[in-house]
Amino acid sequence: MTEQVRIALLGSKFMGRAHSNAWLKVGKFFPVDPEPVLHTVVARDADELAGFAQRWGWRNTSTDWLQTVRDNAIDLVDIGTPNHVHAGQAIAALEAGKHVACEKPLAGTLQDAQSMVDAAAASQARTFVWFNYRRVPAVALAHRLVRDGALGRIYHARAAYLQSWGGPDVPLLWRFQGDIAGSGAHGDLNAHLIDAVRFVTGEEIVSVEGAIEHTFIEERQLVGDDAGGEISGAGAGRSSTTGRSTVDDAVLFLARLSGGGVASFEATRLATGYHNANRFEIHGDRGALRFDFERMNELGFYDLSADPAVQGWATIDVTRGGDGHPYADAWWPNGHVLGYEHSFINQAADILAVLGGGEPLVPLPDFGDALRTQCVLQAAIESARNRGPVSLAEL
Ligand code: SOE
Protein backbone atom coordinates (compact mmCIF):
# COMPACT_ATOMS: atom_id res chain seq x y z
CA MET A 1 0.00 0.00 0.00
CA THR A 2 1.64 3.22 -1.12
CA GLU A 3 1.91 5.69 1.67
CA GLN A 4 0.70 9.24 1.20
CA VAL A 5 2.17 12.58 2.20
CA ARG A 6 -0.51 15.21 2.73
CA ILE A 7 0.73 18.64 1.72
CA ALA A 8 -0.24 22.12 2.83
CA LEU A 9 0.98 24.83 0.45
CA LEU A 10 1.40 28.35 1.84
CA GLY A 11 1.24 30.87 -1.02
CA SER A 12 -0.56 31.07 -4.34
CA LYS A 13 1.52 33.38 -6.48
CA PHE A 14 4.47 32.50 -8.79
CA MET A 15 6.00 29.87 -6.51
CA GLY A 16 2.56 28.65 -5.47
CA ARG A 17 1.90 27.83 -9.11
CA ALA A 18 5.35 26.27 -9.66
CA HIS A 19 5.01 24.06 -6.57
CA SER A 20 1.37 23.12 -7.30
CA ASN A 21 2.39 22.03 -10.77
CA ALA A 22 5.27 19.99 -9.33
CA TRP A 23 3.11 18.11 -6.80
CA LEU A 24 0.38 17.59 -9.43
CA LYS A 25 2.73 16.18 -12.10
CA VAL A 26 5.46 14.34 -10.16
CA GLY A 27 3.49 11.09 -9.83
CA LYS A 28 2.88 11.04 -13.57
CA PHE A 29 6.59 10.81 -14.39
CA PHE A 30 8.28 9.31 -11.32
CA PRO A 31 7.48 6.14 -9.31
CA VAL A 32 6.68 8.12 -6.17
CA ASP A 33 6.26 6.43 -2.81
CA PRO A 34 4.83 8.17 -0.79
CA GLU A 35 2.29 9.74 -3.11
CA PRO A 36 1.69 13.48 -2.70
CA VAL A 37 -1.80 14.56 -1.70
CA LEU A 38 -2.63 18.19 -2.53
CA HIS A 39 -4.50 18.61 0.75
CA THR A 40 -4.76 22.35 1.54
CA VAL A 41 -3.63 25.59 -0.06
CA VAL A 42 -3.39 28.70 2.09
CA ALA A 43 -3.45 32.32 0.89
CA ARG A 44 -4.74 35.64 2.15
CA ASP A 45 -7.35 36.28 -0.56
CA ALA A 46 -10.30 33.89 -0.04
CA ASP A 47 -11.89 34.82 -3.37
CA GLU A 48 -8.76 34.10 -5.40
CA LEU A 49 -8.08 30.96 -3.39
CA ALA A 50 -11.14 29.00 -4.55
CA GLY A 51 -10.18 29.41 -8.20
CA PHE A 52 -6.55 28.55 -7.51
CA ALA A 53 -7.49 25.38 -5.61
CA GLN A 54 -9.82 24.24 -8.39
CA ARG A 55 -7.26 24.93 -11.12
CA TRP A 56 -4.49 23.02 -9.40
CA GLY A 57 -6.49 20.30 -7.60
CA TRP A 58 -6.06 21.35 -3.98
CA ARG A 59 -8.74 19.58 -1.89
CA ASN A 60 -9.14 22.29 0.74
CA THR A 61 -8.44 25.98 1.14
CA SER A 62 -7.74 28.16 4.15
CA THR A 63 -6.76 31.73 4.92
CA ASP A 64 -5.35 30.66 8.32
CA TRP A 65 -1.81 29.33 7.86
CA LEU A 66 -1.23 28.67 11.59
CA GLN A 67 -4.31 26.52 11.99
CA THR A 68 -3.36 24.66 8.80
CA VAL A 69 0.24 23.87 9.78
CA ARG A 70 -1.04 22.57 13.12
CA ASP A 71 -3.70 20.38 11.45
CA ASN A 72 -3.09 16.68 12.16
CA ALA A 73 -4.19 15.97 8.60
CA ILE A 74 -1.00 17.61 7.26
CA ASP A 75 2.38 15.87 6.91
CA LEU A 76 4.42 18.36 4.88
CA VAL A 77 4.22 22.17 4.84
CA ASP A 78 5.42 23.74 1.59
CA ILE A 79 6.30 27.44 2.00
CA GLY A 80 6.01 29.63 -1.08
CA THR A 81 5.37 32.96 0.63
CA PRO A 82 7.46 36.14 0.83
CA ASN A 83 10.78 35.91 2.68
CA HIS A 84 9.79 37.73 5.89
CA VAL A 85 7.28 35.06 6.91
CA HIS A 86 9.42 32.00 6.11
CA ALA A 87 10.77 31.76 9.68
CA GLY A 88 7.47 32.07 11.53
CA GLN A 89 5.73 29.62 9.25
CA ALA A 90 8.57 27.06 9.17
CA ILE A 91 9.12 27.16 12.94
CA ALA A 92 5.41 26.72 13.67
CA ALA A 93 5.28 23.80 11.24
CA LEU A 94 8.37 22.13 12.74
CA GLU A 95 7.01 22.61 16.27
CA ALA A 96 3.85 20.86 15.06
CA GLY A 97 6.01 17.95 13.86
CA LYS A 98 5.62 18.63 10.14
CA HIS A 99 8.23 18.22 7.45
CA VAL A 100 8.96 21.57 5.78
CA ALA A 101 9.93 22.47 2.22
CA CYS A 102 10.72 26.20 1.99
CA GLU A 103 11.38 28.43 -1.02
CA LYS A 104 14.73 30.17 -1.37
CA PRO A 105 16.22 32.19 0.09
CA LEU A 106 15.83 30.39 3.40
CA ALA A 107 14.89 33.74 4.96
CA GLY A 108 15.17 37.47 4.43
CA THR A 109 17.76 37.79 7.21
CA LEU A 110 20.55 35.65 8.68
CA GLN A 111 18.90 35.90 12.09
CA ASP A 112 15.66 34.40 10.76
CA ALA A 113 17.58 31.71 8.90
CA GLN A 114 19.46 30.72 12.05
CA SER A 115 16.18 30.47 14.00
CA MET A 116 14.82 28.12 11.34
CA VAL A 117 17.90 25.92 11.57
CA ASP A 118 17.62 25.85 15.38
CA ALA A 119 13.96 24.79 15.13
CA ALA A 120 14.87 22.09 12.61
CA ALA A 121 17.61 20.78 14.92
CA ALA A 122 15.06 20.49 17.73
CA SER A 123 12.68 18.53 15.50
CA GLN A 124 12.63 15.02 14.06
CA ALA A 125 11.09 16.36 10.85
CA ARG A 126 12.93 16.69 7.53
CA THR A 127 13.57 20.06 5.93
CA PHE A 128 14.16 21.00 2.30
CA VAL A 129 14.85 24.23 0.39
CA TRP A 130 13.70 24.80 -3.20
CA PHE A 131 17.03 25.59 -4.82
CA ASN A 132 15.42 24.19 -7.93
CA TYR A 133 18.31 24.86 -10.34
CA ARG A 134 20.27 21.95 -8.79
CA ARG A 135 17.70 19.77 -10.56
CA VAL A 136 18.12 21.21 -14.00
CA PRO A 137 19.72 18.12 -15.56
CA ALA A 138 22.69 20.09 -16.97
CA VAL A 139 23.50 21.49 -13.51
CA ALA A 140 23.11 18.06 -11.91
CA LEU A 141 25.49 16.64 -14.56
CA ALA A 142 27.97 19.46 -13.83
CA HIS A 143 27.87 18.47 -10.15
CA ARG A 144 28.59 14.83 -11.05
CA LEU A 145 31.46 15.69 -13.43
CA VAL A 146 33.23 17.81 -10.81
CA ARG A 147 32.55 15.25 -8.07
CA ASP A 148 34.15 12.58 -10.29
CA GLY A 149 37.26 14.69 -10.89
CA ALA A 150 36.67 15.88 -14.45
CA LEU A 151 37.82 19.41 -13.62
CA GLY A 152 40.50 18.58 -11.08
CA ARG A 153 41.62 21.48 -8.87
CA ILE A 154 39.17 24.39 -9.13
CA TYR A 155 40.80 27.73 -10.04
CA HIS A 156 37.77 29.89 -10.87
CA ALA A 157 34.02 30.05 -10.45
CA ARG A 158 32.26 32.87 -12.29
CA ALA A 159 28.51 33.22 -11.73
CA ALA A 160 25.97 35.77 -12.92
CA TYR A 161 22.21 35.90 -12.64
CA LEU A 162 20.98 38.49 -15.14
CA GLN A 163 17.34 39.55 -15.19
CA SER A 164 15.83 42.74 -16.52
CA TRP A 165 12.29 42.89 -15.12
CA GLY A 166 13.14 45.48 -12.45
CA GLY A 167 12.87 48.63 -14.55
CA PRO A 168 11.41 52.00 -13.43
CA ASP A 169 7.86 51.05 -14.53
CA VAL A 170 7.68 48.17 -12.01
CA PRO A 171 5.88 49.32 -8.87
CA LEU A 172 6.99 48.89 -5.27
CA LEU A 173 6.30 45.16 -5.03
CA TRP A 174 7.20 43.28 -1.85
CA ARG A 175 10.47 42.29 -3.55
CA PHE A 176 11.56 45.96 -3.34
CA GLN A 177 10.65 46.36 0.34
CA GLY A 178 13.55 45.51 2.64
CA ASP A 179 11.36 44.72 5.67
CA ILE A 180 9.64 41.98 3.62
CA ALA A 181 12.25 40.73 1.17
CA GLY A 182 15.38 41.33 3.25
CA SER A 183 17.29 42.27 0.09
CA GLY A 184 16.59 42.65 -3.62
CA ALA A 185 18.40 40.86 -6.43
CA HIS A 186 20.95 39.71 -3.85
CA GLY A 187 18.80 37.36 -1.76
CA ASP A 188 16.63 36.52 -4.73
CA LEU A 189 19.30 35.73 -7.32
CA ASN A 190 22.74 35.58 -5.67
CA ALA A 191 21.18 32.96 -3.39
CA HIS A 192 20.79 30.72 -6.44
CA LEU A 193 24.34 31.46 -7.63
CA ILE A 194 25.95 30.79 -4.25
CA ASP A 195 24.04 27.54 -3.91
CA ALA A 196 24.97 26.51 -7.47
CA VAL A 197 28.70 27.22 -7.00
CA ARG A 198 28.72 25.35 -3.68
CA PHE A 199 26.74 22.46 -5.23
CA VAL A 200 28.78 22.13 -8.44
CA THR A 201 32.26 22.66 -6.97
CA GLY A 202 31.56 20.79 -3.72
CA GLU A 203 33.45 23.59 -1.98
CA GLU A 204 32.45 26.30 0.47
CA ILE A 205 32.95 30.06 0.22
CA VAL A 206 35.36 31.01 3.01
CA SER A 207 35.50 34.78 2.56
CA VAL A 208 34.04 37.68 0.64
CA GLU A 209 36.86 39.97 -0.47
CA GLY A 210 34.83 42.88 -1.76
CA ALA A 211 31.29 43.75 -2.83
CA ILE A 212 29.07 46.40 -4.38
CA GLU A 213 25.44 46.80 -3.33
CA HIS A 214 23.55 49.22 -5.58
CA THR A 215 20.03 50.56 -6.02
CA PHE A 216 19.51 52.17 -9.41
CA ILE A 217 15.82 53.00 -8.99
CA GLU A 218 15.22 54.55 -5.58
CA GLU A 219 11.55 55.51 -5.92
CA ARG A 220 8.79 53.26 -7.27
CA GLN A 221 5.04 53.69 -7.66
CA LEU A 222 3.02 52.34 -4.73
CA VAL A 223 0.78 49.39 -5.59
CA GLY A 224 -2.61 48.09 -4.55
CA ASP A 225 -2.81 44.89 -2.46
CA ASP A 226 -3.22 42.72 -5.53
CA ALA A 227 0.39 42.87 -6.64
CA GLY A 228 1.39 40.02 -4.32
CA GLY A 229 4.61 38.30 -5.25
CA GLU A 230 4.32 38.49 -9.00
CA ILE A 231 7.58 39.78 -10.40
CA SER A 232 5.93 41.45 -13.36
CA GLY A 233 3.75 43.83 -11.44
CA ALA A 234 1.25 43.23 -14.23
CA GLY A 235 -2.27 43.92 -13.09
CA ALA A 236 -1.02 45.54 -9.95
CA GLY A 237 -3.19 48.44 -8.94
CA ARG A 238 -1.26 51.61 -9.72
CA SER A 239 -1.00 54.64 -7.50
CA SER A 240 0.22 58.12 -8.38
CA THR A 241 2.30 58.29 -5.25
CA THR A 242 5.68 56.66 -4.88
CA GLY A 243 7.61 54.92 -2.14
CA ARG A 244 11.28 54.30 -1.53
CA SER A 245 12.84 51.06 -2.69
CA THR A 246 14.80 49.79 0.29
CA VAL A 247 16.67 46.95 -1.40
CA ASP A 248 19.45 46.51 -3.93
CA ASP A 249 18.78 46.24 -7.65
CA ALA A 250 22.20 44.64 -8.08
CA VAL A 251 24.93 43.11 -5.89
CA LEU A 252 28.34 42.04 -7.17
CA PHE A 253 30.99 40.39 -5.01
CA LEU A 254 34.34 38.57 -5.08
CA ALA A 255 35.03 35.53 -2.92
CA ARG A 256 37.56 32.84 -2.03
CA LEU A 257 36.72 29.12 -2.16
CA SER A 258 37.70 26.49 0.39
CA GLY A 259 39.81 24.67 -2.20
CA GLY A 260 41.92 27.78 -2.82
CA GLY A 261 40.11 29.04 -5.90
CA VAL A 262 38.53 32.46 -6.43
CA ALA A 263 34.99 33.36 -7.46
CA SER A 264 32.91 36.25 -8.74
CA PHE A 265 29.15 36.70 -8.35
CA GLU A 266 26.78 39.18 -10.01
CA ALA A 267 23.02 39.44 -9.50
CA THR A 268 20.89 42.11 -11.12
CA ARG A 269 17.33 42.84 -12.16
CA LEU A 270 18.46 45.48 -14.68
CA ALA A 271 20.61 43.55 -17.16
CA THR A 272 18.78 44.81 -20.22
CA GLY A 273 18.51 42.07 -22.81
CA TYR A 274 18.51 39.13 -20.41
CA HIS A 275 15.35 37.67 -18.86
CA ASN A 276 16.48 34.75 -16.73
CA ALA A 277 20.15 34.25 -17.56
CA ASN A 278 21.29 32.21 -14.59
CA ARG A 279 24.78 31.23 -15.64
CA PHE A 280 28.10 29.94 -14.28
CA GLU A 281 31.54 28.93 -15.53
CA ILE A 282 33.93 26.73 -13.54
CA HIS A 283 37.61 26.37 -14.51
CA GLY A 284 39.90 23.63 -13.18
CA ASP A 285 43.32 22.22 -13.98
CA ARG A 286 41.78 19.33 -15.94
CA GLY A 287 38.89 21.06 -17.67
CA ALA A 288 36.07 23.59 -17.50
CA LEU A 289 32.27 23.75 -17.44
CA ARG A 290 29.81 26.46 -18.47
CA PHE A 291 26.03 26.67 -18.10
CA ASP A 292 23.37 29.27 -19.02
CA PHE A 293 19.78 28.66 -17.95
CA GLU A 294 18.57 30.44 -21.08
CA ARG A 295 19.95 27.34 -22.87
CA MET A 296 19.07 25.09 -19.97
CA ASN A 297 19.29 21.69 -21.75
CA GLU A 298 22.94 22.22 -22.70
CA LEU A 299 26.16 21.98 -20.71
CA GLY A 300 29.49 23.26 -22.03
CA PHE A 301 32.48 21.05 -21.22
CA TYR A 302 36.15 21.64 -22.05
CA ASP A 303 38.22 18.50 -21.47
CA LEU A 304 41.98 18.95 -21.11
CA SER A 305 42.39 15.18 -21.00
CA ALA A 306 41.19 14.91 -24.61
CA ASP A 307 43.63 14.72 -27.55
CA PRO A 308 44.98 18.30 -27.86
CA ALA A 309 44.16 18.23 -31.57
CA VAL A 310 40.45 18.01 -30.80
CA GLN A 311 40.21 19.95 -27.55
CA GLY A 312 37.44 22.52 -27.53
CA TRP A 313 34.17 23.46 -25.91
CA ALA A 314 31.76 20.53 -26.29
CA THR A 315 28.04 21.36 -26.06
CA ILE A 316 26.45 18.39 -24.30
CA ASP A 317 22.73 17.83 -25.02
CA VAL A 318 21.66 16.85 -21.50
CA THR A 319 18.43 15.08 -22.42
CA ARG A 320 19.64 11.55 -23.07
CA GLY A 321 18.13 8.83 -20.99
CA GLY A 322 20.18 5.73 -20.36
CA ASP A 323 23.38 7.74 -20.73
CA GLY A 324 23.54 8.79 -17.11
CA HIS A 325 21.99 12.18 -17.69
CA PRO A 326 20.24 13.01 -14.41
CA TYR A 327 16.41 12.81 -14.48
CA ALA A 328 16.40 12.13 -18.27
CA ASP A 329 14.91 8.64 -17.88
CA ALA A 330 11.78 10.13 -16.30
CA TRP A 331 11.08 12.44 -19.21
CA TRP A 332 11.13 12.38 -23.00
CA PRO A 333 13.32 10.74 -25.70
CA ASN A 334 16.72 12.25 -26.55
CA GLY A 335 16.55 15.88 -27.61
CA HIS A 336 12.99 16.49 -26.40
CA VAL A 337 13.95 19.28 -24.06
CA LEU A 338 12.76 20.24 -20.58
CA GLY A 339 11.68 23.59 -19.13
CA TYR A 340 11.78 25.63 -15.93
CA GLU A 341 8.85 23.73 -14.38
CA HIS A 342 10.64 20.38 -14.72
CA SER A 343 13.30 21.44 -12.20
CA PHE A 344 10.53 21.76 -9.61
CA ILE A 345 8.97 18.41 -10.57
CA ASN A 346 12.42 16.79 -10.28
CA GLN A 347 12.80 18.36 -6.83
CA ALA A 348 9.34 17.13 -5.76
CA ALA A 349 10.43 13.61 -6.79
CA ASP A 350 13.58 13.88 -4.66
CA ILE A 351 11.68 15.24 -1.66
CA LEU A 352 9.25 12.32 -1.87
CA ALA A 353 12.16 9.88 -2.26
CA VAL A 354 13.69 11.18 0.98
CA LEU A 355 10.34 11.12 2.82
CA GLY A 356 10.00 7.52 1.65
CA GLY A 357 13.32 6.63 3.25
CA GLY A 358 15.31 6.79 0.01
CA GLU A 359 17.96 9.07 -1.44
CA PRO A 360 17.63 12.05 -3.81
CA LEU A 361 19.21 11.73 -7.26
CA VAL A 362 21.54 14.62 -6.38
CA PRO A 363 21.99 16.24 -2.94
CA LEU A 364 18.94 18.08 -1.59
CA PRO A 365 19.66 21.18 0.53
CA ASP A 366 18.10 21.16 3.99
CA PHE A 367 17.85 24.19 6.27
CA GLY A 368 21.40 23.66 7.56
CA ASP A 369 22.83 23.60 4.05
CA ALA A 370 20.81 26.68 3.04
CA LEU A 371 22.12 28.51 6.13
CA ARG A 372 25.61 28.36 4.63
CA THR A 373 24.29 30.15 1.56
CA GLN A 374 22.52 32.68 3.80
CA CYS A 375 25.83 33.33 5.61
CA VAL A 376 27.51 34.16 2.29
CA LEU A 377 24.65 36.53 1.42
CA GLN A 378 25.20 38.29 4.74
CA ALA A 379 28.98 38.39 4.34
CA ALA A 380 28.62 40.07 0.94
CA ILE A 381 26.34 42.78 2.33
CA GLU A 382 28.71 43.40 5.26
CA SER A 383 31.64 43.56 2.86
CA ALA A 384 29.82 46.10 0.68
CA ARG A 385 28.83 48.28 3.63
CA ASN A 386 32.18 48.03 5.44
CA ARG A 387 34.13 48.27 2.16
CA GLY A 388 36.40 45.43 3.15
CA PRO A 389 36.84 41.64 3.31
CA VAL A 390 34.59 39.50 5.50
CA SER A 391 35.54 35.98 6.57
CA LEU A 392 32.69 33.52 6.90
CA ALA A 393 34.33 32.39 10.14
CA GLU A 394 33.46 35.82 11.57
CA LEU A 395 29.69 35.30 11.11
C1 SOE B 1 12.35 36.36 -9.46
O1 SOE B 1 13.59 36.89 -9.56
C2 SOE B 1 12.40 34.86 -9.65
O2 SOE B 1 11.08 34.41 -9.61
C3 SOE B 1 13.17 34.17 -8.53
O3 SOE B 1 12.56 34.47 -7.26
C4 SOE B 1 13.18 32.67 -8.78
O4 SOE B 1 13.91 32.01 -7.75
C5 SOE B 1 13.84 32.42 -10.13
O5 SOE B 1 13.86 31.03 -10.41
C6 SOE B 1 13.09 33.16 -11.23
O6 SOE B 1 13.00 34.56 -10.91
Side-chain angles (χ1 to χ4, degrees):
M1 165 67 178
T2 297
E3 293 293 312
Q4 292 186 331
V5 61
R6 299 161 298 175
I7 302 166
L9 171 67
L10 310 187
S12 62
K13 296 297 183 184
F14 183 178
M15 287 302 118
R17 289 186 288 129
H19 294 193
S20 298
N21 183 66
W23 298 122
L24 188 64
K25 301 282 182 61
V26 63
K28 315 286 192 245
F29 294 94
F30 292 85
V32 293
D33 183 8
E35 285 178 353
V37 172
L38 283 68
H39 191 281
T40 301
V41 56
V42 179
R44 289 177 301 176
D45 181 334
D47 297 334
E48 176 201 86
L49 203 44
F52 184 94
Q54 186 181 9
R55 183 178 310 121
W56 291 103
W58 290 94
R59 296 180 182 178
N60 306 285
T61 64
S62 170
T63 57
D64 184 338
W65 69 264
L66 187 56
Q67 180 186 50
T68 301
V69 305
R70 289 173 172 169
D71 185 341
N72 291 330
I74 299 299
D75 304 305
L76 168 69
V77 173
D78 182 7
I79 298 173
T81 47
N83 301 343
H84 68 308
V85 293
H86 286 185
Q89 292 176 345
I91 292 168
L94 287 164
E95 289 173 349
K98 315 301 183 183
H99 303 299
V100 180
C102 184
E103 255 303 322
K104 43 56 62 183
L106 186 58
T109 66
L110 181 56
Q111 183 180 357
D112 273 5
Q114 184 61 62
S115 66
M116 295 166 78
V117 170
D118 295 344
S123 160
Q124 298 302 313
R126 302 302 294 263
T127 60
F128 313 93
V129 182
W130 290 91
F131 280 112
N132 61 296
Y133 291 110
R134 291 191 183 198
R135 281 152 185 76
V136 169
V139 178
L141 180 61
H143 160 80
R144 284 185 175 171
L145 287 170
V146 175
R147 181 199 63 191
D148 296 346
L151 264 55
R153 172 190 176 191
I154 302 295
Y155 293 131
H156 287 278
R158 185 176 309 107
Y161 202 145
L162 311 176
Q163 292 184 342
S164 56
W165 63 270
D169 293 341
V170 175
L172 198 72
L173 302 172
W174 70 263
R175 293 179 184 275
F176 297 104
Q177 299 174 43
D179 58 337
I180 297 177
S183 63
H186 189 48
D188 191 18
L189 305 179
N190 266 329
H192 278 304
L193 296 181
I194 296 163
D195 180 72
V197 168
R198 293 181 53 237
F199 171 61
V200 173
T201 65
E203 299 187 16
E204 291 300 336
I205 291 156
V206 295
S207 69
V208 172
E209 297 297 318
I212 294 174
E213 173 191 19
H214 189 64
T215 304
F216 292 97
I217 299 161
E218 296 185 339
E219 291 284 323
R220 293 182 181 268
Q221 277 185 302
L222 296 183
V223 296
D225 289 339
D226 60 352
E230 287 301 337
I231 66 175
S232 66
R238 290 283 198 269
S239 157
S240 57
T241 55
T242 63
R244 188 161 187 77
S245 170
T246 51
V247 297
D248 61 275
D249 292 320
V251 170
L252 299 80
F253 68 95
L254 301 175
R256 294 190 185 280
L257 300 176
S258 53
V262 295
S264 64
F265 297 84
E266 176 181 4
T268 177
R269 290 167 169 162
L270 290 164
T272 307
Y274 293 109
H275 299 291
N276 201 44
N278 172 359
R279 50 181 57 175
F280 61 76
E281 298 179 333
I282 314 284
H283 305 271
D285 65 0
R286 300 182 61 187
L289 289 165
R290 63 187 181 193
F291 169 76
D292 181 350
F293 179 74
E294 292 196 341
R295 299 181 68 90
M296 69 169 276
N297 292 280
E298 299 173 1
L299 179 66
F301 180 41
Y302 197 106
D303 183 1
L304 279 178
S305 68
D307 173 352
V310 296
Q311 282 181 15
W313 280 102
T315 298
I316 303 168
D317 165 4
V318 192
T319 62
R320 295 200 300 271
D323 296 23
H325 284 172
Y327 305 102
D329 288 327
W331 295 107
W332 316 117
N334 296 358
H336 293 65
V337 297
L338 298 184
Y340 176 67
E341 74 276 18
H342 296 92
S343 66
F344 289 90
I345 300 170
N346 293 341
Q347 175 140 359
D350 281 338
I351 289 173
L352 293 170
V354 168
L355 293 182
E359 291 298 321
L361 201 62
V362 295
L364 260 174
D366 62 6
F367 282 8
D369 183 297
L371 179 68
R372 302 181 80 102
T373 292
Q374 200 83 36
C375 286
V376 178
L377 289 170
Q378 179 65 23
I381 292 300
E382 291 185 11
S383 178
R385 293 177 184 171
N386 304 337
R387 296 187 180 283
V390 174
S391 163
L392 271 289
E394 294 169 17
L395 289 185

